[in-house]
Amino acid sequence: KAGVTQTPRYLIKTRGQQVTLSCSPISGHRSVSWYQQTPGQGLQFLFEYFSETQRNKGNFPGRFSGRQFSNSRSEMNVSTLELGDSALYLCASSFSGVRGRPDTQYFGPGTRLTVL
Amino acid sequence: KNEVEQSPQNLTAQEGEFITINCSYSVGISALHWLQQHPGGGIVSLFMLSSGKKKHGRLIATINIQEKHSSLHITASHPRDSAVYICAVFGNEKLTFGTGTRLTIIP
């Protein structure tokens, strides 16, 4: 099976712009989670989508949003970019059929976003 | 205080040494993950465990739910084991991560 793919791999934006990142999960996986990794805060949970519905959300401002399509592919959007949004954004997919039941997560390679 | 604490933050060892990385957490969890991250960012899930012990090759992970503590052991360490090892706990339907342990194995 192909692994989790993320596009683009690298992105440079300026403050105030918006950005959309894409994640394609492993075939058959219906849960997609998004994470932000920065040197200062480490890895932090953004949100999880399952069957096109946001199932859980971390403590990030409303500028961070996401969605999931019927084929389980997911996108996340960050509007009005700030310098502090510079980070590695990772998505992970899992089979995770039952809400709240832990499952092995398979991570994508990440999108490195730089905000100038 | 962070919900997930790892120690040590950095570890340098000679090839062949036995390695132990520790993880303590303060919240209720249903599972704990050990992750490996190589330079460049890619993360691989090594273990998910909710009790006892798991072994995969030279890697062993243990968890003590009562003491809220887990350890990751690497036997016969090799330079290719050099990476950041991250402990993550699953509670409140989400993963909370430790800050990671940077392991460097010198040939």
Side-chain angles (χ1 to χ4, degrees), chain A residues 16 20 27 34 36 41 48 60 66 83 97:
Chain A
T20 299
S27 177
W34 287 90
Q36 182 197 63
Q41 299 296 319
E48 181 205 5
F60 279 80
L83 295 178

Side-chain angles (χ1 to χ4, degrees), chain A residues 21 23 25 28-35 45-58 61-78 90-99 105, chain B residues 93-94:
Chain A
L21 312 181
C23 173
H29 285 189
R30 294 162 65 191
S31 169
V32 174
S33 298
W34 287 90
Y35 302 94
F45 170 73
L46 278 157
F47 27 65
E48 181 205 5
Y49 285 87
F50 180 85
S51 291
E52 302 179 65
T53 301
Q54 187 179 86
R55 197 154 71 167
N56 203 355
K57 188 176 187 306
R63 299 185 298 107
F64 291 81
S65 62
R67 58 178 176 167
Q68 187 180 34
F69 302 95
S70 58
N71 61 358
S72 293
R73 189 178 71 85
S74 178
E75 290 181 346
M76 69 162 281
N77 185 277
V78 188
L90 293 148
C91 80
S93 75
S94 66
F95 184 74
S96 195
V98 177
R99 180 173 183 163
Q105 301 219 339
Chain B
E93 301 181 358
K94 66 182 177 116

Side-chain angles (χ1 to χ4, degrees), chain B residues 81-103:
Chain B
D81 297 326
S82 297
V84 175
Y85 293 84
I86 302 168
C87 166
V89 299
F90 188 83
N92 292 326
E93 301 181 358
K94 66 182 177 116
L95 281 178
T96 302
F97 299 85
T99 53
T101 295
R102 184 175 301 276
L103 174 65

Side-chain angles (χ1 to χ4, degrees), chain A residues 9-38:
Chain A
R9 293 292 310 278
Y10 301 91
L11 205 48
I12 299 175
K13 292 285 187 178
T14 56
R15 279 183 299 173
Q17 287 187 309
Q18 72 152 14
V19 67
T20 299
L21 312 181
S22 180
C23 173
S24 293
I26 290 172
S27 177
H29 285 189
R30 294 162 65 191
S31 169
V32 174
S33 298
W34 287 90
Y35 302 94
Q36 182 197 63
Q37 186 176 35
T38 60

